[in-house]
Amino acid sequence: MSAAFIFEQLLNSLQLGVMLFVMAAGLTLVFGVMGLINLAHGSLYMVGAFFCAWVAGETGSFWVGLGAGLVAAAAAGAVIEMLVMRRLYDRDHLDQVLATFSLILIFNEGTRWVFGAQPLYLDIPAGLATSVPLPGGGGYPLYRLVIIGFGIATAVGLYLLISRTRLGMQIRAGESDREMIGALGVDINTLYTLVFAIGAMLAGLAGALVGALQSVEVGMGEPVLILAFVVIVIGGIGSIKGALIGAILVGLVDTLGRAFLHKLFALALPPAEANGYGAAMASMAIYLLMAIVLAWRPKGLFPVNA
Amino acid sequence: MLEMRNETYLNVGIALLLLAVPLGAWVMDESYYITVASRVAILALAGVGLNLALGFGGMVSFGHAAFFGLGGYAAGVLSHHAFEGSVFLNWPVTIDGSDATLTLWFAAILLSGAVAAIIGMISLRTSGVYFIMITLAFAQMIYYLAISLPTYNGEDGLPLYLRSSLPGLDMSDDLTFFFVCYALLLLAIFLSVRIVGSRFGAALECARQNETRLSAIGIAPYPVKLTAFVFSAMITGLAGALFVELNGFVSPSILSWHLSGEIMIFVILGGVGRFYGPIVGAALFIVLETVIGGYTERWQLFLGIILLGVVLFARGGVIGLLAGKARHD
Amino acid sequence: MKRKLLALALAASVSMPALAQAENVKIGMITTLSGGGSSLGIDIRDGFALAVKQGGGKLGGQDVEVMIEDDARKPDKAKQIADKFIKRDKVDILTGIVWSNLALAVVPSAVKGGTFYISPNAGPSQLAGKLCNENYFNVAWQNDNLHEAMGAHVSSQGMKNAYILAPNYPAGKDALTGFKRFYKGELAGETFTKLGQKDYAAELAAIREAKPDSVFFFLPGGMGIAFMKQYAQSGIDAPVFGPAFSFDQGILKAVGDAALGVKNSSQWNKDIDNAANKAFVADFQSEYGRLPSLYASQGYDAARLIASALEKAGGVGDADAFRAALKAAEFDSVRGAFKFGSNNHPIQDIYVREVIKEGDVLTNKIVGVGLKDHADAYASQCSM
């Protein structure tokens, strides 16, 4: 096992991590401000990917498609906020879970109705389809580095938005004391719609970026949704910083688990069995991580309002 | 008082209706509808289990499919070994396969209860959304374990060729099997009523509403909730064992998070914290799924819209709608 | 479109006077029409419906009533629908299931009860071996077949150091076992991935590290799309081989140019030169406005097999005659020569195809034969 191999796997962990962060940031923001648990966040991820693929196919430009994906996800977010989510803010988590679970069914079938049952084509922009040489040999796909760049930009952007802008001030106010923002004369409905749309847009961004790398198909949002929940639960629900740390942790554990666990098992077992057990353990690793973190810190690594 | 009375009448009506459907089907020689009624009874039983944790204990478990599936696997695996004539375990003690119904039920209850104790011990340190998500995470762990381990065919699942045997009853007869499920369902509801009405139930109710108050009168909430959680999982685990017998098949799909969501839907559709709610919820869900599924392949879209409508506009579920007024809290 | 076809079939069946000896043949189709993977079920359904339509609502001169329901890819739901079809609707024939785990939930009890099952896709090893049954016929392949052909082909190309990967579930393990059964060289590595996984960065790094001379993968659905796109960017230059599933008509567009030139194995392709296939490809295109896929060809063949048996046996009234007629398989399969082995699974040629471009459209052409007159490895375990 060469140093380049380990370095490459670390880069892979980082790339998975920042992508999960973009996905989880929206989820945790919505929870922090409105106290809403949104299972349909994965559907917004899917909306972003489908619109990106569709528009990129029509115009021939990935970047135009990406813009369209962001707009579509934000718009879908704003619409469901006004039609559905708004009625759920003062309900308990149970109602929120069921209502947003229903939204998943609606979005999945709706998307299939509009776009058809077959997966859509979306490839990375031609200019990014090369790899960059790594120190110690081998190459690393440029597009994955670009994704890391998008992720870091999102993190910085969110930090600036929340700490430096008027909207950010209102968001912070909303997180600590919901009644206060009403008293400040802020139109709370608009604020909530805006925050939800931002969260949705982030999901759409993740969907479009990852869709180009993976596949654009109905139901693509659910596995990612569960990962994003693992991330925000580990980080502390409502905490953006927690989401970042949680995402990197999950990225590390998942990638390194897949890369090394079966080799660990191979020390004690014949290769075929080691592969099987290694793969089984690798798919459970992040849930194990989550259980350990919560057993140790029941409100996550960075508890909000503790 | 009047409302309480209404709900009692309603409950009796619900129980009788669930009994009438398969009897009618039997008279008309339509054995398919007997199977449907058995399925409703079994899924309702799973819901009754969840209701104990969720409705009465305020523990929103998003991982009850784990217990349903474990119960199913316990029964399925033992009966598989009995069919093959092989042993389940050689060490430290020898455990043979079994096709005795009571043994299978016992194994299902034991396994789901034991795992629930471990999951509960860790999960109950958390609350709110954390609890929802950690129960989901544990269920996912068990799901991936079942899918990837080759011993019991992984994702392919295990077919079971024989129904188990209960002395004096022919379990392979559809109507008899329904009666068994129905009896267990009523028994579980009866047990829930007794538990909720007991001192333990009062403590649980108190833990749901205000943990600090419970601690103040000298009762630690944690063991109370853990006990309820384990009971809840045992009932759901038993339902899993029956489900596997009904289908003659066990596979990891009964451990999936969609099923956790569906069991939750049964409870919420019927009405959270209503003893007979899960029957209404499960029946309605299955009828909707079957009827809409017969008309259009886009049934999930319409199912989603209906469910959404129920959550948004019919708080307290169907029983709440019919019996009037949400329960007292 | 499907509604129309179905209505047509139904109308044809309803309008016939119900004479005692001319009772409808009832066929229940359980397949995946919603959610992920629904494009496979839709293709099977459309292929089947096309054959019914060509027969004017009849198969083999018999009126048929085809009932179709969506299993949402859930074994329990498939089992429920099978229950309904058998107990309530009293169907004579079941068909349609896409996935092995669903087939294993439904088939053993259904065929034991005397219902015929014609599999248009899934062919798990159990049903070809220990659980084989006289009422079960598979018109597609046994699951290992396409992988076995690829194993033979990769060896014949002089490859000696293949890296192989598949998801960590039974079909994935069977795939790699099937490949290794006919592959003669060494393995540079063998990896099981998580079922449903879409990011292969970690695996690709391991492949690069292992320096194989070829890569074989079985990753059905979106997994394969993701793998191919990421493989193309990874800079690894070992050629890729796989079964048809990741390179078939329905999925090729989503994979894109990354698939160009890849060799894949299949028992059917649209360029197979026979009259039945030409009619099928042309009619499918004019009916549905798209090129037929492998799954559509299997759905079509399932219906035509049923038609041939209905014609020969004069319906399903005499189950033994119908069974014998099915087994004789006297129909013109779109893949050319076709016959059943002792375990009611096909004995057929498995071709090697290459992904090419016809104008703007990605599609396949046959470039060779992987295995000739190939039967499956489980027939000896079947006691029929």
Side-chain angles (χ1 to χ4, degrees), chain A residues 1-2 5 8-9 12 109 112 117 119-122 124 139 144 211-215 217 258 275-276 279 283, chain C residues 33-34 38 42 168 190 192 194 197-199 201-203 205-206 208-209 222 225-226 229-230 233 253-254 256:
Chain A
M1 209 181 318
S2 63
F5 178 70
E8 185 176 350
Q9 296 294 19
N12 286 334
E109 269 319 297
R112 210 168 63 92
L120 292 196
Y121 172 71
L122 176 64
I124 61 174
R144 287 185 188 270
L213 198 61
Q214 303 182 357
S215 63
E217 57 183 336
R258 282 189 282 137
N275 281 340
S283 52
Chain C
L33 300 172
S34 69
S38 55
I42 290 170
N168 192 29
E190 178 174 4
F192 289 111
K194 182 167 137 182
Q197 174 182 334
K198 297 280 188 61
D199 192 301
E203 289 74 12
R208 181 181 299 117
E209 170 98 347
I225 300 176
K229 289 205 294 202
Q230 293 166 34
Q233 293 164 43
K253 189 160 167 281

Side-chain angles (χ1 to χ4, degrees), chain B residues 238-299:
Chain B
L238 177 62
L242 292 172
F243 191 72
V244 163
E245 282 229 45
L246 175 74
N247 281 343
F249 189 75
V250 56
S251 82
S253 72
I254 58 169
L255 287 157
S256 75
W257 71 279
H258 275 138
L259 189 74
S260 293
E262 280 173 16
I263 302 178
M264 245 162 139
I265 290 175
F266 304 150
V267 173
I268 301 169
L269 262 185
V272 176
R274 310 272 185 174
F275 290 111
Y276 287 75
I279 303 185
V280 180
L284 205 61
F285 187 85
I286 287 185
V287 167
L288 280 178
E289 194 182 66
T290 316
V291 170
I292 307 177
Y295 281 106
T296 164
E297 65 191 71
R298 311 218 181 276
W299 56 277

Side-chain angles (χ1 to χ4, degrees), chain A residues 39 97-98 101 105, chain B residues 39 43-44 46-47 50 54 61-65 68 243 253-254 256-270 278 281-283 285-286 289 299-300 303 307, chain C residues 71-72 74 76-77 80:
Chain A
L39 294 186
V97 165
L98 184 62
F101 186 83
L105 297 180
Chain B
R39 185 169 302 119
L43 293 176
L50 179 63
L54 189 156
S61 164
F62 202 173
H64 255 52
F68 190 79
F243 191 72
S253 72
I254 58 169
S256 75
W257 71 279
H258 275 138
L259 189 74
S260 293
E262 280 173 16
I263 302 178
M264 245 162 139
I265 290 175
F266 304 150
V267 173
I268 301 169
L269 262 185
F285 187 85
I286 287 185
E289 194 182 66
W299 56 277
Q300 297 197 24
L303 186 67
L307 288 178
Chain C
D71 59 33
K74 292 181 181 163
D76 321 307
K77 187 137 209 297
Q80 286 165 36

Side-chain angles (χ1 to χ4, degrees), chain A residues 31 91 93-95 98 102 106 112-113 226 229 233 236-237 277 280 284 287-288 290 294-295 298-299, chain B residues 54 125-126 129-130 133-134 138 140-141 148-149 257 264-265 268 298 300-301 304 307-308 311-312 315:
Chain A
F31 186 86
R91 300 286 190 88
H93 294 316
L94 189 59
D95 283 357
L98 184 62
S102 316
I106 296 173
R112 210 168 63 92
W113 207 337
I226 295 184
F229 267 115
V233 165
I237 305 177
Y277 285 105
M284 296 193 297
Y287 300 109
L288 209 59
M290 171 172 163
L294 286 192
K299 289 199 174 297
Chain B
L54 189 156
R125 292 169 47 86
T126 69
V129 186
Y130 292 94
M133 290 303 150
I134 196 171
F138 276 113
Q140 286 292 96
M141 260 158 79
S148 31
L149 287 184
W257 71 279
M264 245 162 139
I265 290 175
I268 301 169
R298 311 218 181 276
Q300 297 197 24
L301 178 66
L307 288 178
L308 188 61
V311 190
L312 291 183
R315 302 185 68 172

